[in-house]
Amino acid sequence: MIITIVGGQWGDEGKGKIIDHIAEKADVIARYAGGNNAGHTIENKLGKFALHLVPCGVGWEGTKNLIGSGTVIDPDVLINELELINKNNLPGEIFISEKAHMIMPYHIKLDQAEEAYRGSEAVGTTGRGIGPAYSDKISRNGIRIGDLKNIETLQSKISKNLNIKNKILKEIYNTDEISEKYIFEKIKEWNNKLSKYIANTEQILYENIEKNKFILLEGAQGALLDIDHGTYPYVTSSNSISGGSLTGLGLGAKDIDNVMGVFKAFTTRVGEGPFPTEIFGKDAETIREIAGEFGTTTGRPRRIGWFDAVAAKYSVKINGLDGMVITKLDILDKFEKIKICTHYEYKGEVLSYFPSDENILSNIKPIYKEFEGWDESTFDVSSYEALNSKAKEFLKNLEDIVGIPIAYISTGPSREATIPVSYTHLRAHETREDRGWRGVGGK
């Protein structure tokens, strides 16, 4: 059984908590895309952990946690994360694909220099070197983590790359060059600390598929940040949609049994780019403060908006979603009115689809359906029956408007604050028609 968990919005949907929750039953958890520009938080009896590269199943004993070939890895960040994991005795095993590309110091410097050079037209990257690393990968100048196995050959590759990168840094961006000696010293450190984790992760996956093991595929960021299908150019540098799980792990389309999309009960976005349902003022500040809507990786305050069902339905299509997970329902407690965007308006025309044109998307007006809020707390509620009637009505409308059933509802950061609406998605080898999705509407 293979399930892909993908962010349905612009990232930060709470995927880490959901993956950690489901991973109790999983044998393998595999991260398929992105780098340390993503942040997934898990909370268990050992503490609260913000993970940027290691899959969220590492909190469960007996799990194999794979960092796939579709990722880009900052070795220093990964080493720090591994030390944190080992220090706190998180029990899962960790394996790194030998095909995964490394983020080199020059990638980070180039990323930051280019953003500064753009000035007011900056894309809003995290400055972690993600884009330049993927750019080198596509132009066939990348350095893979498996290259650490042959230091002499690796040093030759880096010398050639660094000659070009330093010219760009000095002559175009007018900034300091990077020392070759510094990078060579880092290589030795990376080799000493990471070599034991490097593996043929595809083979590990294939062996577990043959044994009919339960495998979770973990996405990073969100579908609306996908390099091809997101709000370009304000996107990430990888395929964050569910299709990225195939190319980022070496799987075939027929291997995937189920795809679940994680959505907040509202919407957030970090950085630049169109955001149709963005709100300002008291409601936005209240949500941001209660929910702690600040980037796990950057600490930047997130932009806040009401739930965008038009964007959600687009996400359903490009990901092939079977069901959705609604997180942070409790954040909407105490609001008098709660809104769901059902359509857009552009120059007097009502749109029911998500435009790909940035200019249109930046100038549309959301059309809302308004719901009565609720006074009762939903925080830490762990059964659907215990939710109040107005919260149930809101969830049922979400299900009806988006068009797919809700599989889980999250009402807090802990593992226990999770309501499993339907367990049937965990059945193996069933067709979509036979899976028996029930959802909050009883369908």
Side-chain angles (χ1 to χ4, degrees), residues 144-205:
R144 303 205 291 189
I145 204 159
D147 291 333
L148 288 173
K149 295 176 182 178
N150 191 328
I151 296 293
E152 289 185 6
T153 302
L154 175 55
Q155 287 179 337
S156 176
K157 288 182 180 180
I158 289 173
S159 293
K160 292 177 183 177
N161 281 0
L162 196 58
N163 182 44
I164 298 171
K165 307 303 182 186
N166 275 335
K167 284 184 179 180
I168 296 171
L169 287 169
K170 183 179 179 180
E171 297 177 16
I172 296 179
Y173 297 126
N174 194 30
T175 189
D176 295 335
E177 298 180 0
I178 293 179
S179 162
E180 187 175 276
K181 180 182 178 183
Y182 168 75
I183 294 183
F184 288 171
E185 288 174 351
K186 297 298 291 184
I187 287 172
K188 293 176 182 177
E189 178 189 353
W190 299 338
N191 179 58
N192 290 334
K193 295 185 177 180
L194 295 177
S195 290
K196 66 179 180 180
Y197 297 100
I198 299 172
N200 184 330
T201 54
E202 289 89 354
Q203 190 58 34
I204 294 173
L205 275 173

Side-chain angles (χ1 to χ4, degrees), residues 206-316:
Y206 302 153
E207 289 172 357
N208 279 273
I209 291 171
E210 289 175 4
K211 295 175 183 177
N212 201 29
K213 297 293 186 178
F214 179 17
I215 300 169
L216 277 180
L217 310 184
E218 174 182 330
Q221 288 91 30
L224 301 181
L225 293 174
D226 184 89
I227 184 65
D228 291 311
H229 303 287
T231 50
Y232 192 88
Y234 303 101
V235 292
T236 191
S237 301
S238 60
N239 286 117
S240 52
I241 61 170
S242 62
S245 66
L246 306 179
T247 56
L249 291 167
L251 296 172
K254 293 181 180 179
D255 290 324
I256 309 300
D257 295 291
N258 191 280
V259 184
M260 280 201 292
V262 184
F263 298 82
K264 285 176 181 170
F266 47 97
T267 312
T268 64
R269 177 163 197 169
V270 173
E272 305 299 323
F275 188 5
T277 64
E278 185 170 16
I279 58 175
F280 304 91
K282 182 180 177 182
D283 284 348
E285 290 300 325
T286 299
I287 290 174
R288 185 179 293 111
E289 291 302 321
I290 294 174
E293 291 296 347
F294 300 89
T296 304
T297 300
T298 64
R300 290 184 292 184
R302 295 172 184 147
R303 299 157 66 190
I304 307 295
W306 294 117
F307 190 93
D308 189 337
V310 182
K313 286 190 282 188
Y314 173 67
S315 188
V316 170

Side-chain angles (χ1 to χ4, degrees), residues 383-405:
S383 73
Y384 181 70
E385 291 70 26
L387 290 174
N388 65 77
S389 60
K390 290 181 179 178
K392 288 179 181 177
E393 182 67 16
F394 171 72
L395 291 166
K396 184 180 183 302
N397 274 274
L398 268 185
E399 213 176 45
D400 290 341
I401 294 168
V402 177
I404 57 172

